[in-house]
Amino acid sequence: MNSVRKAAQKPALAHEHATYNALIVPARLTQPVRIETVDTGTAALQKLVAGNIESMTGADWHVYLNDGANRMPPNVRAEVLIREAGVYLEDAFNGTAVFLGHGSAVRN
């Protein structure tokens, strides 16, 4: 499976500022993995990942990460999820990861 990892100025979703259910995977093992409804606007994603965002896209998912995360703790849980999806990783993943599927926006 090919994947794309790139710096992102905007999320790769059709509707900026839509809300989606996301799997939030913190790098620190003492912090729980959780599902949250998140705003997919750039500012909201930057807040979640604590900096500028980069993205990786698989067949049916996106993951957003901090583009300067090499200063952050490694995220072994996010790496396992991505490898289980069949993606070969050359780089380590660091910092919080925000996973989104290709689904519909959450309706309020």
Side-chain angles (χ1 to χ4, degrees):
M1 171 188 291
N2 290 334
S3 65
V4 176
R5 186 172 179 178
K6 60 183 177 183
Q9 297 301 318
K10 290 187 171 185
L13 299 171
H15 303 290
E16 188 167 341
H17 297 294
T19 55
Y20 289 81
N21 290 326
L23 178 67
I24 313 294
V25 183
R28 298 194 189 282
L29 297 176
T30 56
Q31 295 177 337
V33 173
R34 62 196 188 275
I35 295 176
E36 286 184 12
T37 301
V38 299
D39 179 341
T40 58
T42 302
L45 289 170
Q46 287 175 328
K47 185 175 180 181
L48 283 169
V49 302
N52 291 327
I53 57 175
E54 70 175 331
S55 66
M56 175 181 251
T57 301
D60 58 357
W61 52 270
H62 303 287
V63 62
Y64 295 98
L65 306 149
N66 183 309
D67 73 352
N70 56 352
R71 302 178 304 276
M72 299 178 153
N75 193 330
V76 295
R77 296 182 292 193
E79 285 187 33
V80 168
L81 285 173
I82 292 168
R83 289 193 173 137
E84 287 296 318
V87 176
Y88 171 76
L89 297 173
E90 292 181 18
D91 299 326
F93 271 36
N94 298 49
T96 297
V98 179
F99 287 87
L100 299 172
H102 295 299
S104 301
V106 174
R107 307 232 188 275
N108 293 326

